[in-house]
């Protein structure tokens, strides 16, 4: 019996071993049997179904990459986006693998892809301002043209699983002003994705997610988990959210609704709710730097959160969905490390609605916002508003707080407060700057014995007193009265005082006194901001009295503005420029309408500025949103490096305007153009030793320059370049961060043609014949056109006319004259000396049209006219006048290029050059110039 059992066991083991060995053998053999078949079919699918460029380093066919799936793996894969992002990367992955249905492969000889694996990928999803997306790369099967004359073996994508592992997903939708940045993105989606309608089961985890709307961070570095069931209709491209449970840190959210992708946008109806959760769970979505505070603080209370997003989104039709938000907090309490008096009775009921995502339609209803600290201190407020720039307001704020007690209760992060704060303000009515309306308002705010210290700096701001009262009985700008008396504080032993009375905001009447001195660098450390390092010193002693109209109407004798401001070693930035300005010293004196710059030394990168003069309208500039500064200055400089001012250059300034930030993302290799401030009307008498621009060096600038209405101009400015005086009248205006337009008149007398050809790029391109020339010439030319994203000329955009005067020029080895000499048999024509010749020409659409000119060479009198292009095309006519007086001659045509001229004797028929076509609005060359086909 035992022998029989042993025999059976051995037989089972043997069969099992054979089966296992056979399976293992198949695991190795199947990839060897079908590699060409599978690779070719995967490649075919990519070519047929993707309107994109795909590249990878190698492909592999194996069971073991994603066991037990049989997969085709593509290593180091990159995939570009759809128009207009065809040059940008949509996907860059360490590996992308396609799971193959092994049954269909073995028995039906068909390649059916049923799984998709993406590992360690950067996925960059982008939507531009027009709503065009980079991920529309899939070509639907019905759009594919098939060859009906041949039988095609089945090749299809029938996904049952999508697996993303350790990916970085970035979604930047400029049209909706949304940015999502998800790191450590892990996703598994299962379902019969080949069906027209199917349920997709999703398990997702994101280690670190940021969410920005309109460049404001609403989530930063949050962990997210998702358990979702989504019904997908592939015909309608709609997604029905059935079971969608999310958890952001500890805050649970449930999503329900519908999302449908339309041809030019999407339709959305989503509700997101977090009901009956705790205030502590709600606070877990606060910025990461507050999470330690959260662990150390007793927080109680209940919260309800509801978010809805409903409507159609279509940029072309100007359709946008409605956004609504509601937050309720009840029975809230905060007690930081057993504070002497906790914050209690915290209640909040906030409802906000933004119809069609229009900020001007914004509705805010803060029904309740109140809390208590201890037995006596309290704060209560409500706000109801409609609109934004024109806003209907009904608001009230009342409170009495001991800031030290509040600080202890909250455990304010990196902040120590002291002082007694009292506030009682009511406002009701309409605010509109354009209509000069202000809500009827009464009340004030007062802070006494204030004290502020942060962890960023060891010394506090002390003795803070701030008393401000506001009164408006009629609801207009004219009736608004604001009094600040007094406002003062002491920092590091230096007191600062401000007293101000403001009334009649229609024609602002002001009476203000400011006195004090500050170590700006140290007080800036108190309010430390990452990425910036400011040092310096400021001292002010000012008396400002008057009305806005006194300055604008020229009644300067009624103004009483006096006093001084002294600045030293101040660093400041502008959103238009990549680098910071460093004010080494600035002594400013106020005298009625003028702000005098008595000593002003500043630098920007390598550039330096020594300025004296005055500004007019400084008070109005700060009071009006669209104010303009006017002034007149003298400026000296050792070096001005124009390249450093170009908008997309690298620099320490991270606070750039939105248009520049977008342009920098879109064009990382471009320098951009110089953006001219629009709110300046300033003229300067300039004296600069050296100016550097795009590899050119201009020495000894003297002349008038300035900025007016967004235009930079030069007026009779003289530069020294290649040892020649260049006189320039010019204007320059930026059109975008990557485009600009100029209009200039250049005059230069008696300069070396050879040095100009070698050292001035524009001369090199416009006068190509100068390569073989030596001697002295003069130029008088007017030209206008566009500059590209590297602030270089776009020749196709040029329009202009002028004169080149050849005082004494010798030409040797120019193929054009060598060819004429060879064709005519006249050796004296190949190296002509050209003296006292004036050549007039006109430039248009990349072509240079030459007016007829005559010169003498070797007893001959050639006359030349015609057209050439910046790219070297020729269509010239010559009449070669014969000795002795040139009365008798014969025609010659020159076509081809400067490098390969085609010369015909006794011919008047050339080859017309069709000019280039340039689109000024898009700054694009539509068509290059070319020889007209016969």
């Amino acid at each position: 019996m035992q022998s029989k059992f042993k025999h059976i066991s051995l037989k089972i083991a043997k069969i099992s071993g054979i089966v296992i060995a056979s399976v293992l053998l198949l695991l190795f053999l199947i990839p060897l049997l079908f590699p060409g078949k599978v690779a070719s079919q995967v490649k075919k699918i990519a070519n047929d179904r993707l309107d994109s460029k795909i590249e990878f380093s190698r492909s592999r066919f194996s069971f073991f990459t994603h066991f037990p799936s049989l997969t085709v793996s593509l290593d180091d894969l990159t995939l570009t986006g759809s128009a207009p992002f065809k040059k940008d990367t949509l996907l860059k992955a360490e590996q992308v693998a396609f799971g193959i249905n092994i049954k269909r492969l073995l028995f039906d000889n068909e390649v059916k892809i049923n799984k998709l694996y993406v590992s360690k990928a950067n996925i960059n999803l982008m939507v531009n301002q027009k709503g065009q997306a980079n991920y529309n790369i899939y070509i639907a099967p019905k759009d594919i043209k098939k060859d009906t004359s041949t039988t095609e073996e089945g090749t299809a994508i029938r996904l049952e699983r999508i697996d993303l592992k350790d990916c970085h997903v970035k979604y930047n939708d400029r049209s909706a002003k949304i940015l999502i940045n998800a790191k450590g993105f892990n996703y598994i989606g299962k379902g019969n994705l080949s069906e027209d309608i199917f349920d997709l089961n999703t398990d997702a985890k994101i280690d670190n997610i940021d969410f920005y709307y309109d460049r404001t961070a609403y989530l930063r570095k949050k962990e997210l988990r998702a358990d979702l069931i989504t019904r997908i209709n592939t015909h309608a491209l709609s997604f029905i959210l059935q079971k969608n449970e999310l958890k952001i840190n500890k805050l649970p959210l449930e999503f329900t609704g519908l999302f449908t992708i339309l041809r030019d946008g999407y339709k959305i109806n989503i509700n997101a709710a977090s009901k009956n959760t705790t205030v502590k769970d709600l606070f877990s979505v606060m910025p990461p730097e507050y999470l330690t505070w959260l662990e150390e603080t007793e927080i109680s209370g209940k919260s309800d959160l509801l978010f809805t997003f409903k409507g159609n989104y279509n940029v072309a039709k100007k359709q946008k969905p409605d956004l609504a938000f509601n937050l309720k907090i009840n029975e809230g309490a905060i007690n930081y490390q057993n504070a002497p008096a906790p914050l209690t009775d915290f209640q909040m009921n906030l409802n906000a609605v933004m119809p069609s995502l229009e900020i001007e339609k914004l509705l805010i209803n803060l029904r309740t916002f109140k809390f208590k600290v201890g037995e006596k201190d309290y704060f209560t407020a409500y706000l109801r508003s409609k609109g934004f720039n024109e806003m209907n307001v009904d608001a009230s704020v009342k409170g009495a707080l001991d800031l030290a007690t509040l600080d202890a209760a909250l455990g304010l992060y990196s902040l120590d407060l002291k002082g007694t704060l009292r506030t009682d303000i009511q406002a009701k009515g309409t605010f509109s700057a354009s209509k000069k309306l202000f809500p009827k308002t009464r009340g004030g705010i007062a802070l006494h014995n204030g004290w502020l210290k942060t962890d960023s700096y060891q010394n506090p701001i002390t003795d803070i007193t701030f008393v401000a009262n506001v009164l408006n009985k009629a609801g207009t700008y004219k009736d608004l009265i604001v009094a600040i008396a007094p406002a003062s504080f002491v920092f590091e032993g230096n007191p600062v005082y401000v007293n101000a009375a403001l009334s009649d905001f229609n024609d602002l009447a002001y009476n203000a006194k400011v006195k004090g001195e500050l170590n700006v660098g140290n007080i800036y450390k108190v309010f430390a901001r990452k990425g910036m390092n400011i040092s310096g010193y400021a001292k002010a002693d000012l008396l400002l009295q008057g009305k806005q109209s006194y300055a604008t109407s020229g009644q300067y004798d009624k103004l009483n503005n006096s006093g001084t401001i002294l600045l030293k070693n101040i660093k400041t930035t502008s959103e238009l420029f990549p680098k910071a300005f460093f004010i080494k010293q600035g002594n400013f004196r106020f005298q009625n309408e003028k702000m005098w710059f008595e000593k002003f030394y500043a630098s920007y990168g390598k550039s330096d500025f020594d300025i004296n003069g005055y500004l007019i309208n400084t008070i109005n500039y700060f009071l009006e949103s669209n104010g303009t500064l006017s002034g007149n200055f003298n400026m000296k400089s050792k070096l001005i490096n124009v390249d450093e001012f170009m908008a997309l250059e690298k620099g320490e300034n991270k606070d750039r305007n939105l248009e520049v930030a977008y342009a920098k993302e879109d064009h990382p290799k471009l320098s951009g153009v110089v953006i001219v401030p629009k709110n300046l009307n300033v003229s300067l008498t300039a004296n600069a030793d050296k100016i550097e621009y795009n590899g050119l060096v201009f020495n000894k600038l003297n002349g008038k320059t300035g900025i007016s209405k967004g235009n930079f101009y030069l007026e009779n400015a003289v530069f020294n370049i290649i040892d020649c005086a260049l006189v320039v009248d010019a204007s320059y205006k930026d059109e975008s961060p990557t485009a600009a337009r100029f209009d200039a008149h250049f005059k230069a007398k008696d300069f070396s043609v050879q040095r100009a050809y070698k050292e001035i790029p524009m001369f090199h391109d416009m006068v190509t014949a100068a390569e073989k020339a030596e001697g002295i010439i003069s130029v008088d030319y007017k030209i206008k056109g566009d500059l590209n994203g590297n602030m270089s000329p776009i020749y196709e955009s040029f329009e202009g006319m002028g004169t080149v005067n050849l005082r004494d020029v010798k030409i040797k080895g120019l193929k054009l004259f060598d060819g004429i000499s060879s064709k005519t048999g006249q050796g004296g024509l190949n190296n002509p000396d050209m003296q006292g010749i004036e050549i007039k020409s006109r430039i248009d659409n990349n072509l240079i049209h030459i007016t007829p000119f005559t010169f003498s060479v070797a007893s001959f009198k050639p006359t030349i006219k015609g057209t050439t292009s910046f790219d070297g095309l020729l269509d010239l006519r010559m009449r070669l006048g014969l000795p002795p007086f040139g009365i008798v001659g014969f025609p010659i045509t020159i076509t081809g290029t400067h490098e390969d001229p085609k010369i015909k004797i006794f011919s008047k028929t050339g080859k017309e050059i069709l000019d280039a076509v340039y689109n000024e609005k898009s700054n694009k060359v539509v068509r290059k110039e070319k020889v007209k086909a016969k």
Side-chain angles (χ1 to χ4, degrees):
M1 184 72 182
Q2 186 176 0
S3 175
K4 186 177 181 180
F5 177 77
K6 183 178 181 182
H7 176 73
I8 293 171
S9 299
L10 288 171
K11 191 172 182 179
I12 293 170
K14 185 177 180 180
I15 293 171
S16 299
I18 292 171
V19 171
I20 292 171
S22 299
V23 171
L24 290 174
L25 182 62
L26 281 173
L27 293 179
F28 284 101
L29 286 180
I30 289 175
L32 298 176
L33 293 173
F34 297 94
K37 169 75 176 178
V38 175
S40 64
Q41 292 300 319
V42 170
K43 186 176 181 180
K44 177 174 175 50
I45 289 174
N47 290 332
D48 288 347
R49 302 290 176 86
L50 300 180
D51 181 21
S52 177
K53 183 180 179 181
I54 184 170
E55 294 180 353
F56 49 89
S57 62
R58 66 168 181 164
S59 62
R60 288 179 290 158
F61 191 30
S62 170
F63 274 103
F64 300 103
T65 305
H66 293 280
F67 186 82
S69 297
L70 175 62
T71 57
V72 177
S73 302
L74 306 179
D75 292 346
D76 303 318
L77 181 140
T78 58
L79 183 69
T80 58
S82 56
F85 300 96
K86 283 187 172 292
K87 294 183 180 180
D88 298 308
T89 300
L90 169 62
L91 170 68
K92 184 175 184 180
E94 186 175 290
Q95 185 182 90
V96 174
F98 304 94
I100 308 298
N101 186 317
I102 188 170
K103 178 183 175 184
R104 300 293 289 273
L105 180 65
L106 289 175
F107 299 107
D108 300 328
N109 197 31
E110 292 179 340
V111 176
K112 299 296 182 185
I113 296 174
N114 58 7
K115 296 176 183 177
L116 174 64
Y117 301 90
V118 180
S119 302
K120 295 185 178 179
N122 286 321
I123 303 171
N124 189 27
L125 307 173
M126 295 186 290
V127 182
N128 64 15
Q129 290 96 319
K130 297 179 181 179
Q132 298 168 309
N134 72 333
Y135 47 78
N136 294 323
I137 62 171
Y138 181 69
I139 304 173
K142 63 181 180 181
D143 296 327
I144 301 172
K145 296 180 180 179
K146 294 186 178 181
D147 185 358
T148 57
S149 64
T150 61
T151 302
E152 183 180 64
E153 293 182 350
T155 305
I157 301 175
R158 297 183 179 274
L159 291 177
E160 299 170 3
R161 178 186 176 105
I162 299 174
D163 194 329
L164 305 181
K165 184 178 181 181
D166 194 17
C167 296
H168 180 188
V169 179
K170 187 175 182 180
Y171 176 75
N172 188 357
D173 187 339
R174 293 181 183 171
S175 64
K177 300 181 181 179
I178 290 174
L179 173 64
I180 299 173
N181 192 20
K183 297 178 181 178
F185 186 93
N186 296 278
Y187 172 93
I188 296 176
K190 297 178 182 179
N192 193 351
L193 281 68
S194 62
E195 298 293 333
D196 294 336
I197 300 175
F198 62 91
D199 289 342
L200 177 66
N201 291 269
T202 297
D203 182 14
K205 179 178 179 295
I206 301 175
D207 296 335
N208 195 319
I209 186 169
D210 300 336
F211 177 82
Y212 288 78
Y213 176 72
D214 199 13
R215 304 182 81 188
T216 299
Y218 290 88
L219 289 177
R220 284 198 301 114
K221 298 181 180 179
K222 298 303 172 191
E223 182 181 346
L224 185 145
R225 290 183 176 274
D227 182 11
L228 318 174
I229 299 177
T230 306
R231 176 153 292 180
I232 299 176
N233 184 331
T234 59
H235 285 310
L237 282 179
S238 66
F239 305 82
I240 301 172
L241 309 178
Q242 294 180 322
K243 175 195 173 186
N244 290 275
E245 297 176 355
L246 298 180
K247 182 173 278 191
I248 304 174
N249 277 14
K250 295 181 179 180
L251 179 68
L253 288 173
E254 292 186 0
F255 281 77
T256 58
L258 170 73
F259 180 78
T260 301
I261 298 175
L262 307 175
R263 183 175 182 84
D264 297 315
Y266 54 80
K267 180 179 182 180
I268 192 166
N269 185 354
I270 290 180
N271 296 312
S274 180
K275 297 180 179 179
N276 297 319
T277 56
T278 67
V279 174
K280 189 156 189 172
D281 289 343
L282 179 67
F283 281 9
S284 73
V285 299
M286 292 173 66
E289 55 264 30
Y290 293 97
L291 295 184
T292 301
W293 168 85
L294 194 64
E295 294 173 357
E296 298 174 347
T297 306
E298 293 181 14
I299 299 174
S300 61
K302 299 175 182 179
S303 71
D304 287 311
L305 176 67
L306 177 64
F307 170 91
T308 63
F309 201 29
K310 183 178 181 180
N312 288 355
Y313 181 83
N314 186 304
V315 174
K317 295 180 180 179
K318 298 182 179 179
Q319 294 177 335
K320 293 183 180 180
D322 299 332
L323 178 68
F325 174 83
N326 181 257
L327 173 63
K328 292 181 180 179
I329 296 176
N330 288 303
E331 303 174 9
I334 301 175
N335 186 1
Y336 179 75
Q337 293 186 347
N338 297 315
L343 184 149
T344 59
D345 296 335
F346 179 31
Q347 293 185 42
M348 181 179 181
N349 189 346
L350 170 65
N351 186 59
V353 180
M354 193 186 299
S356 301
L357 293 179
E358 292 288 343
I359 191 69
E360 294 303 326
K361 298 178 181 179
L362 177 65
L363 301 169
I364 296 177
N365 190 355
L366 180 61
R367 294 183 179 90
T368 306
F369 185 87
K370 63 181 182 179
F371 60 84
K372 290 174 59 178
V373 183
E375 295 297 325
K376 296 180 180 180
D377 291 359
Y378 71 96
F379 185 88
T380 180
Y382 70 81
L383 166 66
R384 287 182 288 273
S385 70
K386 180 180 180 181
F388 190 74
N389 285 321
E390 183 170 327
M391 182 187 297
N392 292 320
V393 176
D394 183 3
S396 173
V397 179
K398 292 183 180 181
L401 295 169
D402 184 316
L403 296 182
T405 305
L406 179 66
D407 188 347
L410 295 178
L412 292 179
Y413 185 78
S414 302
L415 185 67
D416 288 333
L417 288 174
K418 294 178 183 178
T420 302
L421 179 67
R422 297 281 188 275
T423 180
D424 187 352
I425 302 175
Q426 287 82 41
K428 189 172 184 178
T430 302
F431 171 80
S432 172
S434 60
K435 296 180 179 179
K436 306 293 185 182
L437 298 175
F438 195 90
K440 294 180 181 179
T441 306
R442 180 185 295 274
I445 182 170
L447 173 64
H448 294 282
N449 301 317
W451 192 89
L452 169 66
K453 183 180 181 300
T454 68
D455 288 349
S456 303
Y457 192 66
Q458 67 269 23
N459 294 328
I461 302 172
T462 64
D463 300 323
I464 304 171
T465 298
F466 180 80
V467 178
N469 290 285
V470 58
L471 178 65
N472 190 328
K473 293 182 179 181
T476 66
Y477 265 33
K478 183 176 179 60
D479 293 280
L480 179 60
I481 299 171
V482 178
I484 303 173
S488 62
F489 65 89
V490 176
F491 182 65
E492 295 186 326
N494 295 318
V496 176
Y497 301 96
V498 176
N499 284 276
L502 308 174
S503 62
D504 187 3
F505 280 64
N506 260 349
D507 179 15
L508 184 64
Y510 55 89
N511 185 347
K513 295 180 181 179
V514 182
K515 187 173 183 179
E517 58 184 278
L518 284 176
N519 184 316
V520 177
N522 290 348
I523 201 167
Y524 195 85
K525 291 175 184 177
V526 174
F527 307 99
R529 179 180 170 190
K530 292 182 180 180
M532 293 294 292
N533 181 20
I534 290 185
S535 59
Y537 169 85
K539 183 178 180 179
D541 188 354
L542 292 177
L543 171 63
L544 306 174
Q545 288 181 325
K547 284 189 173 185
Q548 272 186 285
S549 60
Y550 293 165
T552 56
S553 62
Q555 301 178 70
Y556 301 129
D557 57 318
K558 293 184 178 181
L559 292 171
N560 184 20
N561 298 328
S562 62
T564 59
I565 296 176
L566 174 64
L567 302 178
K568 285 186 178 180
N569 299 327
I570 299 292
K571 182 185 284 188
T572 184
T573 59
S574 165
E575 65 174 9
L576 301 179
F577 304 114
K579 296 180 181 292
F581 290 87
F582 185 71
I583 302 173
K584 297 177 183 178
Q585 182 172 345
N587 290 8
F588 308 99
R589 176 172 57 86
F590 285 80
Q591 182 182 14
N592 292 339
E593 81 280 11
K594 293 179 180 178
M595 176 181 175
W596 287 90
F597 287 53
E598 296 190 327
K599 290 182 180 179
F600 186 85
Y601 309 118
S603 62
Y604 175 89
K606 297 177 183 177
S607 305
D608 64 275
F609 308 94
D610 178 354
I611 294 175
N612 62 75
Y614 62 83
L615 284 175
I616 298 176
N617 202 38
T618 51
I619 303 298
N620 284 1
Y621 172 75
F622 289 106
L623 294 176
E624 296 179 359
S625 58
N626 58 347
T628 299
L629 279 174
S630 300
N632 199 328
F633 293 93
N634 294 312
M635 183 192 75
K636 293 181 180 180
S637 175
K638 294 179 181 177
L639 170 66
I640 299 175
N641 188 329
V642 177
D643 299 347
E644 293 180 321
F645 289 85
M646 295 179 185
L648 307 187
E649 283 289 338
K650 293 182 179 179
E652 66 270 35
N653 183 15
K654 307 301 180 185
D655 189 16
R656 311 300 304 279
N657 76 17
L658 192 60
E659 190 180 14
V660 172
Y662 282 165
K664 196 170 180 65
E665 286 181 14
D666 293 340
H667 309 285
K669 294 183 180 180
L670 296 184
S671 65
V673 302
V674 178
I675 297 178
V676 181
K678 305 298 186 288
N679 55 354
L680 292 180
N681 183 18
V682 175
S683 63
L684 300 114
T685 300
N687 187 324
D689 293 341
K690 183 187 291 187
I691 295 177
E692 295 179 355
Y693 161 58
N694 260 352
L696 288 174
V697 177
F698 300 89
N699 296 305
K700 301 298 181 184
L701 163 66
N702 284 285
K704 188 175 180 180
T705 182
I707 296 172
S708 177
K709 298 180 180 179
N711 283 278
F712 172 80
Y713 64 87
L714 292 167
E715 205 172 278
N716 201 32
V718 181
F719 299 87
N720 186 290
I721 184 170
I722 59 169
D723 295 327
C724 163
L726 175 66
V727 182
V728 181
D729 291 287
S731 66
Y732 165 94
K733 185 179 181 64
D734 60 277
E735 297 177 335
S736 75
T738 56
R741 187 158 183 81
F742 74 95
D743 190 341
H745 182 190
F746 302 96
K747 288 191 289 185
K749 189 175 181 180
D750 296 342
F751 62 90
S752 166
V753 64
Q754 194 56 213
R755 283 195 64 185
Y757 180 83
K758 291 178 179 179
E759 299 178 31
I760 303 176
M762 189 180 295
F763 187 87
H764 176 283
D765 295 332
M766 291 177 62
V767 192
T768 54
E771 179 184 10
K772 304 297 183 180
E774 292 183 357
I776 304 300
I777 70 173
S778 299
V779 172
D780 187 342
Y781 225 93
K782 291 181 179 180
I783 195 164
K784 62 182 179 180
D786 289 347
L787 302 176
N788 64 19
N790 284 318
M791 213 163 163
S792 298
I794 303 174
Y795 292 107
E796 288 82 358
S797 71
F798 277 16
E799 298 175 44
M801 59 188 304
T803 303
V804 177
N805 191 286
L806 312 184
R807 195 186 80 181
D808 184 9
V809 175
K810 296 179 180 180
I811 299 177
K812 293 183 179 180
L814 186 66
K815 290 182 179 181
L816 188 151
F817 285 113
D818 287 348
I820 294 172
S821 179
S822 175
K823 288 285 185 179
T824 59
Q826 301 297 324
L829 296 173
N830 57 351
N831 294 316
D833 292 345
M834 307 178 77
Q835 298 181 2
I837 299 171
E838 186 176 85
I839 303 174
K840 295 182 179 181
S841 61
R842 174 176 59 86
I843 294 174
D844 189 23
N845 295 332
N846 214 41
L847 299 184
I848 305 170
H849 304 280
I850 302 169
T851 302
F853 68 94
T854 302
F855 60 98
S856 298
V857 54
S859 301
F860 294 92
K861 286 189 176 295
T863 298
I864 297 177
K865 66 177 181 178
T867 303
T868 181
S869 80
F870 285 109
D871 294 330
L873 297 179
L874 297 174
D875 182 28
L876 299 176
R877 312 288 193 276
M878 175 185 284
R879 180 187 180 276
L880 186 60
L882 301 176
F885 303 112
I887 298 174
V888 178
F890 57 87
I892 301 172
T893 61
I894 303 107
T895 58
T897 66
H898 284 288
E899 291 298 319
D900 185 20
K902 308 297 182 183
I903 299 166
K904 289 184 180 181
I905 307 296
F906 301 107
S907 173
K908 293 183 178 180
T909 305
K911 291 185 178 181
E912 182 184 354
I913 304 173
L914 298 177
D915 56 5
V917 178
Y918 178 74
N919 187 323
E920 285 190 12
K921 290 184 178 180
S922 63
N923 301 106
K924 296 286 180 65
V925 178
V926 178
R927 186 190 73 195
K928 299 285 289 184
E929 77 280 6
K930 61 181 180 179
V931 176
K932 183 178 180 180
K934 292 187 176 180

